[in-house]
Amino acid sequence: MPVLRSIRERFASERPLDGVAVAACLHVTAETANLVRALAAGGARVALCAANPLSTQDDVAAALAQEGMEVLAVRGEGPERYAGHVEALVAAGPDVTLDDGADLITALHEGGRAGGMLGGTEETTSGLVRLRALDLACPVLAVNEARTERAVNDRYGTGQSALDGILRATNLLLAGRTLVVLGYGYAGQGVAQRARGLGASVIVCEVDPLRALEARMEGFEVMPALRAAERGDVFVTVTGARDVLTSEHFARMRDGAVLANAGHFDVEIALGDLAALARDVREVRPLVRSYDLGDRRLHLLAEGRVVNLAAAEGHPAAVMDVSFATQALAVEALARGGFPRGVHPVPARIDDEVARLKLASLGVEIDTLTPGQQAYLRVWDDPSP
Ligand SMILES: NC(=O)c1ccc[n+]([C@@H]2O[C@H](COP(=O)([O-])OP(=O)(O)OC[C@H]3O[C@@H](n4cnc5c(N)ncnc54)[C@H](O)[C@@H]3O)[C@@H](O)[C@H]2O)c1
């Protein structure tokens, strides 16, 4: 994670977080360890609990605890123990929080302890939905919506890892097949682009006319899902909506069609409809469930759960490097203060800095505007002398 490493090195010399109490409720993984180490190098006192008990890597938790960090996370911990861990972080009275799903900052609000905080960061869409519905007592930076996050995490991360999950589960050759992507948002665009790169013919289904237009102009076929149902060999839902593929679609699909979901929740493929149509259901490979519809069989991957996590390893570390670099710089910005209450976009200078560091880690150099060009562009921005 070279981007985070370079931030950690700067933090170690500048100590921008000296005396700041940081509480993080994140997946306790090796990537997260690098983030909290960077924050600690900047002078922060860091406490960490798990955003999801099933993703905790116990060896990572133990290593961080040995380094003197307060870590409250055990893989498989039950709901009560989980709530106790969040509560312990609340009781310590943090200055800055990091969340992946908003549990920690919500608990601070419920306990009336968020008022004096410098602020928090949020890593997921669903967390931001919760926070926007809350009368926030402090600022929150929407890391999930940063431009670098959209590009690197949603498009390239999901694009690669969703296909990785499908290929690991099925061992299919995508070349020569038709892959249908339902939802052409940031994540869907990545899936479509990468599937094309593997030689698949890609069909896109959308409900947003502009996104559909973009898909068409990118060279993909675009059509309603009911028509695509008759054409696809592999279907990938990535909309964030529910019941995107239902019995109407299943009834039209071809023998052997593969169904996968890369959206956050397992509601995009109507599993009840599929079960109701099936005469027999059997596990034909790990994570591949075959539904016998009489004349055809449809193959559901990972029970309709998010395929890149369930059938592969989620995002590669290089993706989390960018996300967590944004997190680290967002914590630094919050520690400086000055943000009003409410949810705010990550400042553009942080996005630029993360992109610049990522380019540097890839050995890529770019041009900069000359003073003359800067002056010229300023004139167009602001015609007053
Ligand atoms: N698997 C991962 O690692 C990963 C990563 C990022 C996002 N996600 C999830 O993927 C989903 C989409 O995320 P995004 O960032 O691309 O969101 P987005 O809002 O950019 O895109 C979603 C797209 O789906 C379209 N859509 C909605 N309902 C539809 C329907 N019934 N049929 C066809 N298209 C429909 C919308 O018009 C939109 O263009 C969310 O659930 C998100 O949480 C997963």
Side-chain angles (χ1 to χ4, degrees), residues 154 158 183 185-187 206-208 211 238-240 262 264 306 308 315:
D154 297 354
T158 312
Y186 293 96
E206 251 297 342
V207 293
D208 178 315
R211 288 248 163 102
V238 61
T239 68
H264 192 73
V306 57
N308 54 341
H315 291 318

Side-chain angles (χ1 to χ4, degrees), residues 184 206 208-220 222:
Y184 193 69
E206 251 297 342
D208 178 315
L210 179 56
R211 288 248 163 102
L213 179 63
E214 286 180 312
R216 185 68 197 104
M217 297 197 119
E218 196 53 47
F220 299 117
V222 177

Side-chain angles (χ1 to χ4, degrees), residues 292-354:
D292 183 351
L293 307 192
D295 54 344
R296 289 153 312 135
R297 283 165 311 148
L298 303 182
H299 301 304
L300 174 71
L301 304 191
E303 299 169 39
R305 286 181 287 119
V306 57
V307 72
N308 54 341
L309 286 171
E313 294 171 59
H315 291 318
V319 172
M320 299 321 294
D321 192 14
V322 170
S323 298
F324 286 168
T326 309
Q327 287 277 14
L329 297 184
V331 171
E332 182 186 32
L334 287 168
R336 278 200 211 106
F339 290 95
R341 298 180 336 161
V343 177
H344 303 279
V346 168
R349 64 183 161 72
I350 291 184
D351 258 329
D352 290 348
E353 174 72 357
V354 171

Side-chain angles (χ1 to χ4, degrees), residues 125-126 150 153-155 157-158 161-162 181-189 205-208 211 225 237-244 261-265 268 306-309 314-315:
T125 310
S126 48
R150 291 294 202 197
N153 187 318
D154 297 354
R155 191 178 302 139
T158 312
S161 61
V181 181
L182 299 113
Y184 193 69
Y186 293 96
Q189 288 163 25
C205 304
E206 251 297 342
V207 293
D208 178 315
R211 288 248 163 102
T237 54
V238 61
T239 68
R242 62 174 304 147
D243 299 331
V244 180
N261 169 49
H264 192 73
F265 295 111
E268 303 214 11
V306 57
V307 72
N308 54 341
L309 286 171
H315 291 318

